[in-house]
Amino acid sequence: MPTARDVLLDAALSALATRPWTSVRMVDVAYAAGVSRQTLHNEFGGKDGLARALVRDAVEGYLAGVERALASAGDTEDRLAATAAWTVRAARANVLVRALLTGCWSERLPRPAPTAAPVHGPRRAEPWPPAPAELLRRAGERAVAALGTERPPCDPETLAAGCEIALRLALSYALVPAAAQDEGTVPLVRRAVARAGDAGGPGAGPPARAEDTGGPGAGSPARAGDAVSGTSPRAGARSPRGSPGRWRPA
C-alpha cells in the first residue's frame, strides 16, 4: 500500500503535467493526494522540500530502473541495450528525469538550489541535484558492478565506455524521438556497444583493417544485422557468447 509520501509525490508530479511549478499550490497537491495540508507539511516541510523530494525521487527511480535493466537476461550487449531502452522510456515519461539527464531545466520545473549532499567518511561531497555527467557516472558505476561479474570478466574501462555509449545514444533518442516508440534504439545501441567491445577499449591492440570494418577499400559492405549478431538484423538478437574480440577480458 502506498504511503502518504508516495501519494503526495505522485500528485505533485501529476500537477507538473498541467501547469508550471510556480503555479502548483501545496493545498491543491494535498487535495489531489487525499490528505490534509498538515500531512504534506509534516512530510516535506514546505514547497522547496517537496521540490527536493521530487527531484530525489526522480534520481533514485531512474537509477533503480538502470539496475533492473542491468539485471535482465542476456549478454553484455543485451543488458546495455535494455538500459538504453529504459533511459529513453524514463526520459519521455518523467519530465524531471529528462531534465536531470539533459541539463535542460525549463521554468516550469522545480529545480532546487544546488547544494552539497551530506556525506559520511572520506568521500567528497556530491553536488545536488546531480549534473547530467554525474548521473551518467553513477549509472556507469552500476553497469561495471553488474556486468563485471560475468565470466570471463570484462575490462572495467571497456564496460564503462560501452555503458556511456549506450546512455548517450539513448539520450539522443529521448531528445529526438524515432518515428515509432523505441524504434531503432535497441538495435543501434547493440551495434555500437558491440563495436566498443570488439575494439577492446583502452589498451586494445592495433585498429582493425579497412576490409574488416567496411571502410574505404573494403569488400562487400556488411549488413546492419551482421554487426549485431552475425546472422540476423532483428532487434534483440544476441551475439554468440565468447566470440573473438568481444568484450575483451580484463
Side-chain angles (χ1 to χ4, degrees):
M1 182 176 179
T3 65
R5 184 181 184 86
D6 293 333
V7 174
L8 284 164
L9 288 172
D10 288 342
L13 190 60
S14 296
L16 279 176
T18 58
R19 52 189 183 275
W21 181 248
T22 54
S23 299
V24 174
R25 301 190 307 166
M26 297 284 278
V27 63
D28 294 334
V29 173
Y31 179 80
V35 302
S36 67
R37 187 174 178 180
Q38 185 60 49
T39 298
L40 191 156
H41 279 280
N42 289 344
E43 289 289 344
F44 305 106
K47 193 172 182 179
D48 188 61
L50 177 58
R52 290 185 177 280
L54 276 171
V55 173
R56 186 175 298 279
D57 188 64
V59 171
E60 294 175 352
Y62 169 69
L63 291 176
V66 167
E67 292 176 353
R68 288 193 300 272
L70 290 168
S72 60
D75 58 18
T76 297
E77 293 153 24
D78 290 325
R79 293 157 75 181
L80 286 178
T83 303
W86 157 250
T87 297
V88 173
R89 293 195 303 272
R92 289 177 180 172
N94 188 318
V95 292
L96 292 176
V97 172
R98 182 186 177 99
L100 285 161
L101 286 169
T102 63
C104 299
W105 293 83
S106 74
E107 296 179 354
R108 295 180 58 87
L109 300 179
R111 187 183 186 186
T115 61
V119 296
H120 302 284
R123 293 191 302 113
R124 62 180 176 82
E126 297 179 337
W128 186 263
E134 171 64 16
L135 192 54
L136 290 185
R137 182 189 67 80
R138 296 185 192 181
E141 287 179 345
R142 285 162 171 77
V144 171
L147 302 176
T149 58
E150 292 188 344
R151 293 291 180 269
C154 298
D155 174 43
E157 291 186 20
T158 305
L159 276 178
C163 183
E164 183 162 356
I165 289 169
L167 293 177
R168 290 189 180 278
L169 282 174
L171 288 181
S172 72
Y173 275 93
L175 290 171
V176 185
Q181 185 77 4
D182 289 341
E183 181 182 339
T185 308
V186 169
L188 180 62
V189 168
R190 291 195 87 259
R191 289 199 295 271
V193 170
R195 286 185 177 274
D198 288 338
R209 297 170 299 172
E211 57 268 28
D212 295 333
T213 61
S220 58
R223 295 169 298 170
D226 293 340
V228 180
S229 65
T231 55
S232 170
R234 288 185 301 109
R238 298 181 190 171
S239 302
R241 288 185 181 272
S243 54
R246 185 61 47 84
W247 296 103
R248 182 171 61 89

